[in-house]
Amino acid sequence: AWYRRVIESAPDGMVVADVRKQIILANPHVEQMFGYPAGEIQNKDVVSLIAPVSMGVLNEMVQAALHVSESTRTEDAAVEIQGIRKDGTEFPLEI
């Protein structure tokens, strides 16, 4: 419950996905940014939010994150990719 409140009240859009890449939690900022009504984005594949042009960059980031231990992980600079809204329009997205 505490974790859910933190994510939902964050000032930036935040998505939590499981190992199957399904969204288990997205705050209202994400729903608004991507044009989804409240609750509709839950259980969608997180990849459905990323424009095809950005899939290579996303896959590289995921693979890199999987091969870095928690003890050596540092804060990386944000990367800009293209998100895709429910209506199909693309927009810059920072992850």
Side-chain angles (χ1 to χ4, degrees):
W2 176 85
Y3 184 72
R4 181 174 295 276
R5 284 193 308 270
V6 169
I7 298 295
E8 289 177 349
S9 65
D12 296 317
M14 295 184 77
V15 172
V16 178
D18 64 16
V19 295
R20 297 169 302 162
K21 301 179 189 168
Q22 288 193 328
I23 297 170
I24 56 176
L25 181 60
N27 69 7
H29 296 294
V30 169
E31 294 169 333
Q32 182 181 24
M33 237 187 318
F34 287 91
Y36 285 90
E40 187 178 321
I41 205 167
Q42 194 162 350
N43 298 319
K44 289 189 119 356
D45 189 325
V46 72
V47 174
S48 69
L49 303 179
I50 308 303
V53 70
S54 295
M55 290 310 299
V57 173
L58 180 66
N59 288 334
E60 288 174 13
M61 290 180 68
V62 168
Q63 289 304 311
L66 292 173
H67 293 97
V68 176
S69 72
E70 194 64 35
S71 62
T72 60
R73 188 168 292 165
T74 60
E75 289 295 320
D76 294 309
V79 175
E80 191 170 293
I81 62 172
Q82 291 295 112
I84 189 162
R85 292 185 178 96
K86 183 178 179 180
D87 68 6
T89 59
E90 295 183 11
F91 67 104
L93 180 64
E94 190 176 89
I95 58 173

